[in-house]
């Protein structure tokens, strides 16, 4: 075990976004690689915007991706007492103060500053205030050393320096008594012993303020690694315009978690020109040093390509399990038809998603096979009556019904009717599939099984034009 402690700290104000999932993955991989600890913390201090539904959605997505945490999930909403104590600690030490400025006053000052070409920031009016009027107030952190600066060496972005005069006295407690993000994130990361904070670079501007808070609260400052954001192919920030941004939307579209993991990791990290990584390989190979400084570009085609790869090479037994809900969505009960694992084996080569695989599996389970127009007109014709009758009789007499006997059976029918293989196989395939894409005729016959084959030929006979 190393002493590396990392965390993922989502705010439950919506589904788990692609970017969030990547942050979680990077943290998870680092912890696994170094045998450190991966903590999950739900940042639900914003009571108005946090919902249980989002918490569940985030946990489901983490579960689907297989990113199980070593500690947690912790909920900030369980920790308000601690935060209140820390506010008090800063007040007692003279490092924070009550600010009674109203929203209207702040707006007016802000406008004035903008008009005068100054950077609008809190002017510190309440810093020296000695009275405590009976009025709503926020608590602000007293930014130290206005002439100084703050520097940190980001593990991805390099050294970042910000002059303190760029910052202002941060609100750490709102008028309703709830603490704010920048304050609680520091307390939690410190109290949970986090020594490397890996997160999206949308938080990089918060980091200098947070470092001031670490110091004021007497905590050690962790290391930081800010991961570049994810862009769409038009180089704009990834949004719904570029496709689904919710991780679970991809599950619903029939993507495999290993494809998603493999895809996410490459959004910003690389290892030579390798593209395919199993989780174990990632744990061995991942490093922050190989995370690039520039934004990753979201490429849905690549995700699809990876998904096709993992479907093609996947274990059919597992794929069959994953396929069940997709079949059920189509009203199919897989127990009612041929062995699902055998069906899956015939579809792996040709399916890029589980949705597509379920579509491809549908004809196997159809009670009343639907024929497409072309197939019906071409094959359900009087000319084939004799062929279908002969096939039915022949299959009926075929007791072993294995690969060898099926081949003998078809050969005998071909010989008897003087037909070439194509003239027999095409109508037969049509009768068995309704025209849906399918594997080779022998595989099809075996997977469907004798009874189903005979029933389908019989049904085709009834529908001849
Ligand atoms: N809760 C914050 C968010 O979801 C992340 C905080 C952090 O990683 O420091 O954006």
């Amino acid at each position: 075990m190393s002493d590396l402690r990392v965390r993922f700290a989502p705010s439950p104000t919506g589904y788990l976004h692609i970017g969030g999932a990547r942050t979680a993955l990077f943290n998870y991989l680092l912890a696994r690689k170094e045998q450190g600890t991966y903590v999950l913390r739900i940042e639900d201090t914003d009571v108005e915007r946090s919902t249980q539904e989002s918490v569940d959605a985030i946990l489901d997505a983490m579960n689907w991706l297989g990113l199980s945490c070593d500690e947690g999930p912790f909920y900030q909403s369980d920790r308000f007492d601690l935060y209140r104590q820390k506010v008090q600690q800063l007040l007692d030490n003279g490092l924070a103060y009550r600010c009674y400025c109203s929203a209207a006053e702040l707006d007016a000052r802000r406008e004035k500053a903008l008009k005068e070409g100054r950077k609008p920031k809190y002017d510190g009016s309440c810093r020296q205030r000695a009275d405590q009027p009976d009025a709503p107030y926020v608590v602000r952190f007293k930014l130290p050393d206005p002439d100084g600066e703050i520097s940190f060496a980001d593990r991805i972005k390099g050294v970042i320096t910000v002059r303190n005069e760029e910052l202002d006295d941060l609100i750490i407690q709102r008028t309703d008594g709830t603490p704010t993000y920048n304050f609680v994130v520091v307390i939690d990361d410190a109290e949970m012993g986090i020594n490397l904070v890996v997160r999206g670079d949308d938080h990089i501007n918060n980091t200098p303020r947070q470092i001031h808070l670490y110091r004021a609260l007497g905590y050690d400052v962790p290391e930081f690694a800010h991961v570049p954001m994810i862009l769409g192919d038009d180089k704009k920030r990834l949004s719904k315009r570029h496709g689904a941004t919710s991780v679970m939307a991809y599950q619903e579209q029939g993507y495999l978690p290993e494809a998603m993991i493999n895809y996410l990791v490459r959004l910003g990290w690389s290892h030579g020109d390798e593209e395919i990584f199993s989780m174990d390989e990632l744990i061995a190979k991942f490093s922050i040093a190989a995370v690039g400084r520039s934004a990753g570009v979201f490429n849905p085609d690549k995700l699809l390509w990876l998904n096709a790869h993992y479907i093609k090479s996947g274990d059919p037994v597992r794929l069959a399990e994953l396929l069940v809900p997709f079949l059920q969505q189509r009203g199919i009960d897989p127990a009612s038809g041929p062995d699902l694992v055998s069906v899956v084996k015939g579809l792996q080569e040709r399916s890029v998603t589980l949705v597509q695989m379920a579509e491809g599996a549908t004809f196997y389970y159809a009670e009343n096979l639907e024929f497409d127009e072309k197939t019906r007109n071409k094959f359900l014709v009087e000319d084939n009556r004799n062929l279908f009758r002969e096939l039915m009789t022949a299959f009926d007499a075929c007791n072993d019904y294995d690969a060898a006997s099926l081949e003998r059976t078809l050969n005998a029918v071909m010989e008897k009717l003087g037909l070439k293989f194509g003239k027999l196989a095409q109508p037969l395939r049509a009768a068995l599939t309704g025209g849906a894409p399918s594997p080779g005729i022998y595989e099809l016959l075996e997977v469907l099984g004798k009874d189903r084959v005979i029933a389908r030929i019989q049904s085709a006979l009834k529908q001849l034009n």
Side-chain angles (χ1 to χ4, degrees):
M1 278 270 306
S2 82
D3 59 4
L4 178 72
R5 291 179 62 86
V6 293
R7 51 52 162 199
F8 176 50
S11 303
T13 54
Y15 51 72
L16 184 66
H17 191 271
I18 296 280
R22 183 190 57 169
T23 302
L25 174 61
F26 283 9
N27 278 291
Y28 175 87
L29 291 175
L30 284 172
R32 288 288 85 82
K33 180 181 174 138
E34 312 259 322
Q35 292 168 304
T37 306
Y38 168 57
V39 176
L40 177 60
R41 182 175 71 233
I42 305 292
E43 303 214 312
D44 56 352
T45 50
D46 187 341
V47 192
E48 304 256 292
R49 293 177 61 222
S50 302
T51 64
Q52 185 58 42
E53 204 186 332
S54 302
V55 172
D56 293 342
I58 290 167
L59 296 180
D60 280 353
M62 303 295 283
N63 209 6
W64 180 62
L65 292 171
L67 304 179
S68 52
C69 60
D70 303 308
E71 291 179 17
F74 298 107
Y75 293 84
Q76 288 188 324
S77 54
D78 291 337
R79 300 164 63 83
F80 279 120
D81 284 347
L82 171 67
Y83 307 140
R84 235 168 295 180
Q85 271 171 36
K86 294 294 171 184
V87 170
Q88 197 55 50
Q89 179 186 323
L90 290 183
L91 283 169
D92 292 346
N93 297 341
L95 298 174
Y97 59 95
R98 294 182 175 82
C99 167
Y100 295 87
C101 297
S102 69
E105 281 170 317
L106 293 173
D107 282 350
R109 276 181 234 161
R110 200 186 138 77
E111 228 147 85
K112 187 157 177 271
L114 282 174
K115 241 182 234 156
E116 292 169 3
R118 285 180 290 121
K119 190 175 159 142
K121 55 176 207 174
Y122 183 63
D123 62 2
S125 313
C126 290
R127 266 191 176 219
Q128 311 303 342
R129 217 180 157 127
D131 60 340
Q132 284 194 17
D134 183 19
Y137 64 87
V138 298
V139 177
R140 286 186 188 269
F141 172 57
K142 204 182 273 178
L143 193 84
D145 186 13
D147 300 325
E149 59 179 31
I150 195 145
S151 237
F152 66 100
D154 189 273
R155 296 261 303 258
I156 295 171
K157 307 264 177 177
V159 174
I160 292 182
T161 305
V162 175
R163 282 177 299 142
N164 290 345
E165 66 176 22
E166 300 285 321
L167 311 172
D168 60 1
D169 289 352
L170 190 75
I171 295 176
I172 58 174
Q173 181 179 291
R174 304 183 186 92
T175 40
D176 65 1
T178 57
T180 57
Y181 157 69
N182 276 301
F183 182 60
V184 295
V185 78
V186 166
I187 295 169
D188 283 343
D189 282 340
E191 297 281 335
M192 294 176 185
I194 304 302
N195 41 28
L196 172 60
V197 171
V198 181
R199 62 184 169 195
D201 68 1
D202 48 335
H203 284 291
I204 203 159
N205 291 334
N206 290 322
T207 307
R209 304 165 202 281
Q210 292 176 8
I211 294 175
H212 280 299
L213 280 165
Y214 276 99
R215 291 182 183 159
L217 289 160
Y219 291 132
D220 288 342
V221 180
E223 281 198 279
F224 293 92
H226 286 92
V227 182
M229 62 172 136
I230 302 171
L231 304 177
D233 51 7
D234 54 1
K235 301 286 149 74
K236 301 226 168 78
R237 203 193 165 96
L238 186 65
S239 75
K240 286 197 179 138
R241 280 178 297 123
H242 304 107
T245 55
S246 151
V247 169
M248 289 312 263
Y250 289 92
Q251 189 240 352
E252 284 160 28
Q253 291 172 29
Y255 286 79
L256 301 179
E258 55 270 41
M260 187 49 109
I261 291 280
N262 197 149
Y263 181 70
L264 288 172
V265 80
R266 290 281 292 107
L267 287 170
W269 174 82
S270 58
H271 193 268
D273 54 8
E274 288 173 55
E275 287 295 354
I276 307 281
F277 301 93
S278 69
M279 189 59 109
D280 286 344
E281 284 166 343
L282 287 179
I283 290 169
K285 291 176 176 170
F286 185 77
S287 75
I288 285 288
V291 174
R293 286 191 191 195
S294 51
V297 176
F298 187 75
N299 176 353
D301 291 339
K302 190 165 158 197
L303 176 54
L304 197 61
W305 174 77
L306 282 167
N307 206 50
H309 164 80
Y310 283 104
I311 287 185
K312 212 175 281 182
S313 56
D315 167 21
V317 175
R318 171 166 170 267
L319 289 173
E321 275 165 28
L322 295 176
L323 190 64
V324 170
F326 292 92
L327 291 171
Q328 287 167 339
Q329 266 170 29
R330 303 177 72 87
I332 295 168
D333 168 14
S336 72
D339 171 47
L340 187 54
V341 175
S342 307
V343 170
V344 164
K345 282 182 188 160
L347 291 166
Q348 277 178 272
E349 272 298 320
R350 288 177 292 121
S351 311
V352 297
T353 66
L354 292 175
V355 168
Q356 209 188 57
M357 191 180 255
E359 217 173 271
T362 299
F363 81 84
Y364 286 96
Y365 296 91
E367 275 192 31
N368 296 305
L369 196 59
E370 276 183 38
F371 287 81
D372 67 52
E373 184 78 10
K374 222 174 106 197
T375 305
R376 176 180 293 282
N377 293 337
K378 191 160 174 204
F379 296 111
L380 293 196
V381 291
E382 201 51 46
D383 279 357
N384 282 331
R385 183 176 297 276
N386 202 25
L387 169 64
F388 287 144
R389 280 193 179 144
E390 288 293 340
L391 283 170
M392 249 178 74
T393 317
F395 287 128
D396 198 33
C398 176
N399 289 328
D400 294 345
Y401 202 83
D402 56 14
S405 64
L406 283 170
E407 199 178 335
R408 276 198 304 276
T409 303
L410 291 198
N411 285 339
V413 174
M414 280 191 289
E415 205 166 307
K416 180 163 181 195
L417 301 182
L419 290 177
K420 290 232 165 68
F421 180 74
K423 289 284 177 212
L424 173 142
Q426 284 180 4
L428 175 57
R429 184 195 287 278
L432 299 179
T433 66
S438 58
I441 193 76
Y442 289 108
E443 185 179 340
L444 188 61
L445 289 168
E446 281 191 71
V447 173
L448 278 171
K450 179 169 169 173
D451 293 346
R452 230 170 264 112
V453 165
I454 291 173
R456 286 190 181 193
I457 299 173
Q458 194 162 29
S459 156
L461 267 170
K462 283 196 195 128
Q463 299 181 58
L464 292 192
N465 297 321

